Structures are given as structure tokens and as C-alpha cells.
Amino acid sequence: MKKITRENYSHLKKRWNAGFTFVETLAVLAVTAILTSQIGVAAHKIIQKARVSAAKTQIEQLKLSLQNYFADCGRFPTEEQGLKALWEEPSLYPLAEGWNGPYTDRKILSDPWGNDFLYINAENPLSVIELPKGLPFGIVSYGADKASGGEENNKDIFSWE
């Protein structure tokens, strides 16, 4: 190693104070941007999976609440009464005699994407979606696209699947 003298010290001092060049700074920024975008994509996928899982769990809880409603009232709510009948006693005909709710621990809000759940009663011949044979009701979440149908990662979530 060279001995630092007064003559070569000024040369070293200039080099230490030079910092990064513009090209080096751009390279660091490019690598950082690439890594950040990859993390963002991975996080988005994880969040979507978590939302699907949460929607399925909510649907299962609603199914149990509907079974309890049926045990007390002898029938399931009509589509007009909807899932709201699990939280407050229906005022629409037919009235729910024997209603002993609320049947959920909180007001029915919406699915993880902010959409209302679609409640289908098999007694309604004009339902938007046809239920599989033998099911008395169905619950549907349209998912992230907020529309019926959907692509590979945007499929609707049905209570019977």
C-alpha cells in the first residue's frame, strides 16, 4: 500500500468527493425500479388470493346463518327480503313468523371487492342465475370484475362450488 503524502492526498481527496456518476445513479435507480415492480406484482397476487379466500369464508358464514333462519322461520328469505333478513326482521311479505335474529354477528356488508352478495332463492322462477338442482338457495360474489362471468383470475364465487 502506498504511503499517503501531501502530493497524492489532494488527488485522493478529489476522488473521494466525486460521488456517483450520472450513469451509476441511473443504473441503481433502474435496478431498484425492477425489484420494486416485482414485489408489487407478487403482493397483488397475494392480496387477490386473500380476497377470494375471505369471500368464500363469508359465504360459508352466510350459509350457516340462512340455515339458522330456516330452523326458526320454516323457510328461507325471499329474494326481495334478501340477506338483510338475517340482520333485521323482514317487513316484506311473507313475514317471518318465528324470527329470532339477528342471525349474523354484524350487518351484512359486502364482499371483499365492495360488491353486495347476490342471494338466490330456488322458489323464484325468475332468478338471475339458475341454481343446481335440489339447492334451496345460493349466494354469489361476482369478484373483482363486479360482473357475471369472469376470466381465469376473476371468476365468480358460488356457494355451491
Side-chain angles (χ1 to χ4, degrees), residues 77-124:
T78 63
E79 285 186 14
E80 292 78 22
Q81 293 168 337
L83 295 173
K84 186 178 177 184
L86 298 174
W87 180 250
E88 57 187 47
E89 188 170 359
S91 57
L92 297 173
Y93 179 81
L95 298 178
E97 294 179 28
W99 191 87
N100 193 25
Y103 296 94
T104 59
D105 58 348
R106 61 179 178 255
K107 194 172 184 178
I108 311 307
L109 297 174
S110 54
D111 68 11
W113 297 275
N115 309 318
D116 290 336
F117 286 103
L118 176 64
Y119 170 69
I120 306 158
N121 188 312
E123 294 175 1
N124 184 358

Side-chain angles (χ1 to χ4, degrees), residues 55-68:
K56 288 179 179 180
T57 301
Q58 286 177 309
I59 288 173
E60 288 302 315
Q61 291 172 344
L62 290 171
K63 285 170 53 177
L64 290 172
S65 297
L66 284 165
Q67 294 295 339
N68 290 333

Side-chain angles (χ1 to χ4, degrees), residues 1-154:
M1 185 166 186
K2 273 183 159 182
K3 187 175 183 184
I4 298 177
T5 63
R6 198 173 276 198
E7 294 81 36
N8 65 7
Y9 177 73
S10 64
H11 172 70
L12 289 174
K13 188 175 179 185
K14 284 181 187 177
R15 180 140 190 232
W16 286 335
N17 290 334
F20 291 113
T21 65
F22 182 68
V23 174
E24 290 171 329
T25 304
L26 285 179
V28 168
L29 289 174
V31 168
T32 304
I34 290 169
L35 292 175
T36 303
S37 68
Q38 293 302 315
I39 291 170
V41 169
H44 179 72
K45 288 179 183 178
I46 291 170
I47 289 170
Q48 284 304 100
K49 285 182 181 179
R51 285 183 174 167
V52 169
S53 179
K56 288 179 179 180
T57 301
Q58 286 177 309
I59 288 173
E60 288 302 315
Q61 291 172 344
L62 290 171
K63 285 170 53 177
L64 290 172
S65 297
L66 284 165
Q67 294 295 339
N68 290 333
Y69 180 98
F70 181 83
D72 286 347
C73 302
R75 61 172 188 76
F76 293 102
T78 63
E79 285 186 14
E80 292 78 22
Q81 293 168 337
L83 295 173
K84 186 178 177 184
L86 298 174
W87 180 250
E88 57 187 47
E89 188 170 359
S91 57
L92 297 173
Y93 179 81
L95 298 178
E97 294 179 28
W99 191 87
N100 193 25
Y103 296 94
T104 59
D105 58 348
R106 61 179 178 255
K107 194 172 184 178
I108 311 307
L109 297 174
S110 54
D111 68 11
W113 297 275
N115 309 318
D116 290 336
F117 286 103
L118 176 64
Y119 170 69
I120 306 158
N121 188 312
E123 294 175 1
N124 184 358
L126 303 174
S127 289
V128 178
I129 296 175
E130 188 176 328
L131 291 171
K133 192 169 188 140
L135 289 181
F137 67 86
I139 303 169
V140 179
S141 169
Y142 284 139
D145 64 355
K146 303 178 184 202
S148 181
E151 296 296 317
E152 193 173 309
N153 296 327
N154 250 347

